[in-house]
Amino acid sequence: MKIFLDTANLDQIKQAVDYGILDGVTTNPSLISKENQEFMPLIKEILAIVPGPVSVEVTATDAEEMIEQAKKYAELSHNVVIKVPINLEGLRVVKTLTDLEIKTNVTLIFSSPQALLAAKAGATYVSPFVGRIDDISGSGMGLVEEIVQVFYNYAIETEIIVASIRHPVHFVQAAMMGADVATVPFSTLEKLLKHPLTDIGMERFLKDWEKVKK
Ligand code: G3P
């Protein structure tokens, strides 16, 4: 499973690149606004640091304007993926961008038919938001399971990005279900590495090493 970081924070992205585990980054307008920086210079820097795909979201609501925005972003770098919301305008945008060989990530997916329609329009990725479904007492990972099955049934090549991940269990389930990508906040990435037995084991090894005649 590929690991993307769900952030626009440069320090976090640089750290994940240094750890050697980063396959890509996803951003959205809320994550960008948290950084309190000018949009274009920030996104250019992210694109330069990240070795893989970086999702940049369009903010227009009309298809023609979304396409104009998308073309402008796509010119920035080879690794730009255009994030498009799932609605009728969004589908038109995905079709046009696919014809132009511009990669897309269809976002705000909350049902399997939405994912199937996005895939049929040519989406490179679909992003089901699992945490937000759990927030309203639904099953976010149940939706991922459904999309994995539907895409498998029809050999659909669109990749599934499990998004709105809130904790390591979402990550583990995504991997068990065979999702293509998990996009995680930095805090979840750190938690993935933690295990109390690893810490206890390290402490014991270091203590015992002190007793060794050297
Ligand atoms: O990529 C966007 C998605 O991950 C949003 O997450 O935590 O705002 O529901 P969240």
Side-chain angles (χ1 to χ4, degrees), residues 6 26 28 83 129 132 163-164 166:
D6 198 25
T26 50
N28 63 38
K83 221 170 174 185
F129 276 24
R132 293 194 196 182
S164 184
R166 300 277 162 78

PDB file of all heavy atoms in Angstrom, residues 6 26 28 83 129 132 163-164 166, ligand 1:
ATOM      1  N   ASP A   6      -1.329  13.496   4.397  1.00  0.00           N
ATOM      2  CA  ASP A   6      -2.478  14.373   4.192  1.00  0.00           C
ATOM      3  C   ASP A   6      -2.178  15.690   4.905  1.00  0.00           C
ATOM      4  O   ASP A   6      -2.631  15.910   6.036  1.00  0.00           O
ATOM      5  CB  ASP A   6      -3.721  13.679   4.788  1.00  0.00           C
ATOM      6  CG  ASP A   6      -5.029  14.258   4.278  1.00  0.00           C
ATOM      7  OD1 ASP A   6      -5.044  14.830   3.179  1.00  0.00           O
ATOM      8  OD2 ASP A   6      -6.053  14.112   4.982  1.00  0.00           O
ATOM      9  N   THR A  26      -1.434  14.574  -0.207  1.00  0.00           N
ATOM     10  CA  THR A  26      -2.746  15.117  -0.586  1.00  0.00           C
ATOM     11  C   THR A  26      -2.970  16.404   0.197  1.00  0.00           C
ATOM     12  O   THR A  26      -2.665  16.465   1.394  1.00  0.00           O
ATOM     13  CB  THR A  26      -3.896  14.126  -0.285  1.00  0.00           C
ATOM     14  OG1 THR A  26      -3.779  13.653   1.062  1.00  0.00           O
ATOM     15  CG2 THR A  26      -3.869  12.940  -1.229  1.00  0.00           C
ATOM     16  N   ASN A  28      -5.827  19.896   0.656  1.00  0.00           N
ATOM     17  CA  ASN A  28      -7.165  20.407   0.360  1.00  0.00           C
ATOM     18  C   ASN A  28      -7.203  21.855   0.853  1.00  0.00           C
ATOM     19  O   ASN A  28      -6.258  22.291   1.541  1.00  0.00           O
ATOM     20  CB  ASN A  28      -8.259  19.512   0.990  1.00  0.00           C
ATOM     21  CG  ASN A  28      -8.201  19.464   2.506  1.00  0.00           C
ATOM     22  OD1 ASN A  28      -7.918  20.463   3.162  1.00  0.00           O
ATOM     23  ND2 ASN A  28      -8.467  18.303   3.086  1.00  0.00           N
ATOM     24  N   LYS A  83      -7.352  17.607  -7.719  1.00  0.00           N
ATOM     25  CA  LYS A  83      -8.419  17.100  -6.861  1.00  0.00           C
ATOM     26  C   LYS A  83      -9.726  17.796  -7.251  1.00  0.00           C
ATOM     27  O   LYS A  83      -9.796  19.032  -7.272  1.00  0.00           O
ATOM     28  CB  LYS A  83      -8.068  17.416  -5.395  1.00  0.00           C
ATOM     29  CG  LYS A  83      -8.374  16.290  -4.450  1.00  0.00           C
ATOM     30  CD  LYS A  83      -7.784  16.590  -3.087  1.00  0.00           C
ATOM     31  CE  LYS A  83      -8.206  15.557  -2.087  1.00  0.00           C
ATOM     32  NZ  LYS A  83      -7.748  15.899  -0.746  1.00  0.00           N
ATOM     33  N   PHE A 129     -13.853   9.331   2.199  1.00  0.00           N
ATOM     34  CA  PHE A 129     -13.499   9.998   3.465  1.00  0.00           C
ATOM     35  C   PHE A 129     -14.007   9.167   4.643  1.00  0.00           C
ATOM     36  O   PHE A 129     -15.137   9.356   5.107  1.00  0.00           O
ATOM     37  CB  PHE A 129     -14.148  11.393   3.510  1.00  0.00           C
ATOM     38  CG  PHE A 129     -13.377  12.488   2.814  1.00  0.00           C
ATOM     39  CD1 PHE A 129     -12.484  12.201   1.796  1.00  0.00           C
ATOM     40  CD2 PHE A 129     -13.557  13.814   3.182  1.00  0.00           C
ATOM     41  CE1 PHE A 129     -11.776  13.218   1.160  1.00  0.00           C
ATOM     42  CE2 PHE A 129     -12.852  14.835   2.557  1.00  0.00           C
ATOM     43  CZ  PHE A 129     -11.961  14.541   1.538  1.00  0.00           C
ATOM     44  N   ARG A 132     -14.960  10.899   8.318  1.00  0.00           N
ATOM     45  CA  ARG A 132     -16.176  11.725   8.348  1.00  0.00           C
ATOM     46  C   ARG A 132     -17.435  10.852   8.335  1.00  0.00           C
ATOM     47  O   ARG A 132     -18.481  11.264   8.834  1.00  0.00           O
ATOM     48  CB  ARG A 132     -16.184  12.707   7.176  1.00  0.00           C
ATOM     49  CG  ARG A 132     -15.084  13.750   7.322  1.00  0.00           C
ATOM     50  CD  ARG A 132     -15.271  14.904   6.386  1.00  0.00           C
ATOM     51  NE  ARG A 132     -14.031  15.677   6.292  1.00  0.00           N
ATOM     52  CZ  ARG A 132     -13.887  16.772   5.574  1.00  0.00           C
ATOM     53  NH1 ARG A 132     -14.909  17.232   4.875  1.00  0.00           N
ATOM     54  NH2 ARG A 132     -12.742  17.414   5.533  1.00  0.00           N
ATOM     55  N   ALA A 163      -8.997   8.171   2.646  1.00  0.00           N
ATOM     56  CA  ALA A 163      -8.738   9.524   3.161  1.00  0.00           C
ATOM     57  C   ALA A 163      -9.572   9.773   4.413  1.00  0.00           C
ATOM     58  O   ALA A 163     -10.442   8.978   4.758  1.00  0.00           O
ATOM     59  CB  ALA A 163      -9.077  10.555   2.090  1.00  0.00           C
ATOM     60  N   SER A 164      -9.270  10.897   5.064  1.00  0.00           N
ATOM     61  CA  SER A 164      -9.922  11.241   6.339  1.00  0.00           C
ATOM     62  C   SER A 164      -9.636  10.142   7.371  1.00  0.00           C
ATOM     63  O   SER A 164     -10.490   9.743   8.146  1.00  0.00           O
ATOM     64  CB  SER A 164     -11.438  11.436   6.129  1.00  0.00           C
ATOM     65  OG  SER A 164     -12.085  11.845   7.287  1.00  0.00           O
ATOM     66  N   ARG A 166      -8.189   8.657  10.699  1.00  0.00           N
ATOM     67  CA  ARG A 166      -8.090   9.280  12.029  1.00  0.00           C
ATOM     68  C   ARG A 166      -7.164   8.529  12.982  1.00  0.00           C
ATOM     69  O   ARG A 166      -6.787   9.047  14.014  1.00  0.00           O
ATOM     70  CB  ARG A 166      -9.487   9.358  12.665  1.00  0.00           C
ATOM     71  CG  ARG A 166     -10.489  10.176  11.877  1.00  0.00           C
ATOM     72  CD  ARG A 166     -10.350  11.664  12.159  1.00  0.00           C
ATOM     73  NE  ARG A 166     -10.983  12.478  11.125  1.00  0.00           N
ATOM     74  CZ  ARG A 166     -12.283  12.691  11.029  1.00  0.00           C
ATOM     75  NH1 ARG A 166     -13.099  12.189  11.910  1.00  0.00           N
ATOM     76  NH2 ARG A 166     -12.763  13.437  10.059  1.00  0.00           N
TER      77      ARG A 166
HETATM   78  O1  G3P B   1      -7.667  14.636   2.186  1.00  0.00           O
HETATM   79  C1  G3P B   1      -8.746  15.141   2.879  1.00  0.00           C
HETATM   80  C2  G3P B   1      -9.289  14.269   3.968  1.00  0.00           C
HETATM   81  O2  G3P B   1      -8.347  13.378   4.389  1.00  0.00           O
HETATM   82  C3  G3P B   1      -9.955  15.082   5.046  1.00  0.00           C
HETATM   83  O3  G3P B   1      -9.752  14.587   6.330  1.00  0.00           O
HETATM   84  O4  G3P B   1      -9.838  14.760   8.779  1.00  0.00           O
HETATM   85  O5  G3P B   1     -10.688  16.670   7.385  1.00  0.00           O
HETATM   86  O6  G3P B   1     -11.955  14.523   7.527  1.00  0.00           O
HETATM   87  P1  G3P B   1     -10.614  15.160   7.578  1.00  0.00           P
END
